[in-house]
Amino acid sequence: MTFDFDLVFERHGTGSTKWSRYPADVLPMWVADMDFAVPPVVVDALRKRLEHPMLGYSVAQDNLRAAIVADLWTKYAWRVEPQQILFLPGVEPGFNMALHALVEPQQNVVVQVPNYPPLRNAPGNWGLNKVELPFNAVDGQFHTPLPALRDALRGGGALLLSNPHNPLGKVFDRDELKAVADICVEQDAWIISDEIHAELCFDGRKHIPTATLGAEIADRTITLMSASKAYNIAGLKTSFAIIQNAKLRERVNSARAGMVDSVNALGLEATRAAYSEAGPWLEALKRYLQANRDYLVEAVKTRLPGVTMTVPQGTYLAWLDCSALGLDDPQGFFLKEAKVGLSAGLDFGDDAGQFVRMNFGCPRALLEEGIARMERSLKART
């Protein structure tokens, strides 16, 4: 079966967050929302579900839990029991629930920066102490400063982990992930692991769920996942937490009271179909995204002087370093002069003002259009 990822859809007027933010002459390449049709099997499943004309409050059925359990085993050799899955309307409510339930006011919450803004801002929602821990950049790779992590977690608290990492596109290898998790065990800190991009790894890499690294680590890990990124169904507001420690699971779930509601009926069905039927589509998507990534890497080298980037190991997000351009506001420059809407680096970290994040999860024609607009805007400066 073949899938046409080159097909461009008109998204203006559809209520799309991505395409509504800027005027119609701006090409939006900011929020993590791909410009591809969802897998045909997901559309078919939704059509079939709508043949039943009732859309009341819904709970996850056994076939959905079974689909997730099977998917986790097939992809990661991770044995999860159906009752260990909590369904949520998003990963963001999940890490906020966990912080609210688990972290004491005197403890620290560590966030590696740069990082996804809602995750970076979550400790402030609960008046918790946030420690922003920059990665060590060495030869274009980003490494966790382990001694600094240990110091920041003394007395417990929590690590908010993003893996694969947004916006760096870093896929943690086993040795680094184990070292990070071991420090959390040593310091009696919780691990809240946002693994929403788990299925989007390139160059043969395999995602390693944090909770698979050992029983002690699993006992203190809240893993947050969703079909939303890989299968492009974020608007259906469905995700899940995997918490294998029963007492921890109950403690976190109790924090949803009055704030975090149930999941919508169509999101549950779309998630089931994605995990149980959309495997061939996902493999084709990953090939397309990797080719887009390579196209962008080459274009940055040859067509965008003054811009550099590290090759993303996963996700469909590129972290572009514009330091050499001498701009006060790279995001503002490209918005005004190129009519390309990128994510501002400052949203991801206080020291990231010279960076922008670009979403390359789009048909090649749109990616080329964005690159060409940026190229013209840089040529016009000289």
Side-chain angles (χ1 to χ4, degrees):
M1 184 178 294
T2 60
F3 306 97
D4 187 2
F5 295 105
D6 286 321
L7 187 60
V8 177
F9 291 87
E10 173 57 63
R11 298 188 68 186
H12 288 111
T14 65
S16 163
T17 298
K18 181 178 186 178
W19 287 81
S20 298
R21 182 169 198 170
Y22 297 113
D25 62 344
V26 172
L27 179 62
M29 307 185 80
W30 61 289
V31 70
D33 172 342
M34 296 188 291
D35 290 307
F36 302 125
V38 302
V41 292
V42 172
V43 176
D44 291 343
L46 291 174
R47 285 197 185 103
K48 184 175 181 180
R49 172 61 183 83
L50 288 170
E51 289 176 3
H52 191 291
M54 304 296 288
L55 292 172
Y57 296 122
S58 300
V59 297
Q61 298 187 78
D62 289 345
N63 60 356
L64 170 55
R65 292 182 184 274
I68 293 172
V69 167
D71 188 76
L72 294 173
W73 176 251
T74 299
K75 289 185 175 133
Y76 317 116
W78 186 12
R79 184 71 72 191
V80 170
E81 299 300 326
Q83 72 272 15
Q84 295 171 344
I85 304 169
L86 297 179
F87 287 91
L88 303 166
V91 161
E92 185 175 347
F95 54 70
N96 276 282
M97 279 170 53
L99 288 178
H100 182 46
L102 302 175
V103 181
E104 301 296 332
Q106 72 276 11
Q107 295 177 320
N108 289 336
V109 179
V110 176
V111 183
Q112 295 173 290
V113 288
N115 218 313
Y116 171 57
L119 192 149
R120 180 179 173 232
N121 296 332
N125 294 337
W126 308 105
L128 299 173
N129 302 319
K130 178 177 65 172
V131 176
E132 295 200 338
L133 188 68
F135 286 94
N136 289 334
V138 181
D139 297 328
Q141 300 300 315
F142 299 92
H143 305 282
T144 303
L146 298 174
L149 176 65
R150 179 177 288 107
D151 288 343
L153 287 175
R154 292 195 192 283
L159 170 66
L160 285 177
L161 184 67
S162 174
N163 179 32
H165 189 275
N166 174 6
L168 298 179
K170 170 186 171 70
V171 176
F172 282 75
D173 64 31
R174 182 174 295 276
D175 289 345
E176 182 177 1
L177 192 62
K178 182 67 161 56
V180 167
D182 283 345
I183 287 173
C184 293
V185 171
E186 169 196 306
Q187 298 301 323
D188 196 23
W190 305 106
I191 304 169
I192 304 169
S193 191
D194 177 352
E195 303 184 14
I196 198 169
H197 290 278
E199 294 167 285
L200 300 176
C201 300
F202 303 135
D203 308 308
R205 291 180 178 85
K206 298 292 185 181
H207 173 73
I208 302 169
T210 307
T212 63
L213 296 174
E216 277 192 296
I217 294 167
D219 264 352
R220 63 180 56 254
T221 299
I222 297 95
T223 303
L224 298 164
M225 289 181 154
S226 175
S228 61
K229 299 304 181 187
Y231 302 94
N232 207 31
I233 55 172
L236 292 178
K237 307 302 288 183
T238 302
S239 70
F240 51 93
I242 301 167
I243 309 176
Q244 293 175 288
N245 179 324
K247 291 182 179 178
L248 176 60
R249 185 166 64 251
E250 178 56 33
R251 191 171 167 186
V252 171
N253 195 40
S254 67
R256 73 193 302 152
M259 293 186 297
V260 180
D261 205 350
S262 58
V263 178
N264 81 69
L266 296 183
L268 294 170
E269 180 57 18
T271 299
R272 183 207 61 76
Y275 285 131
S276 59
E277 302 174 42
W281 183 92
L282 178 62
E283 291 306 310
L285 170 74
K286 286 164 61 177
R287 290 191 295 270
Y288 193 93
L289 288 176
Q290 184 170 318
N292 266 8
R293 179 205 64 178
D294 295 343
Y295 187 87
L296 176 60
V297 168
E298 182 62 21
V300 168
K301 285 181 182 177
T302 60
R303 298 169 58 187
L304 302 180
V307 180
T308 59
M309 65 177 285
T310 300
V311 180
Q313 299 171 340
T315 81
Y316 45 83
L317 305 166
W319 190 236
L320 306 184
D321 186 347
C322 304
S323 303
L325 294 177
L327 297 169
D328 292 333
D329 177 10
Q331 192 272 346
F333 171 82
F334 287 118
L335 179 60
K336 180 180 178 182
E337 304 299 333
K339 301 297 184 184
V340 175
L342 305 168
S343 295
L346 282 175
D347 291 341
F348 298 82
D350 292 339
D351 296 326
Q354 288 301 309
F355 290 81
V356 292
R357 190 189 72 173
M358 173 187 275
N359 177 349
F360 59 86
C362 59
R364 181 67 57 81
L366 293 183
L367 178 59
E368 167 55 27
E369 176 63 23
I371 293 167
R373 291 185 184 197
M374 294 170 72
E375 180 182 24
R376 290 193 295 268
S377 71
L378 293 176
K379 285 181 177 178
R381 296 181 73 216
T382 59

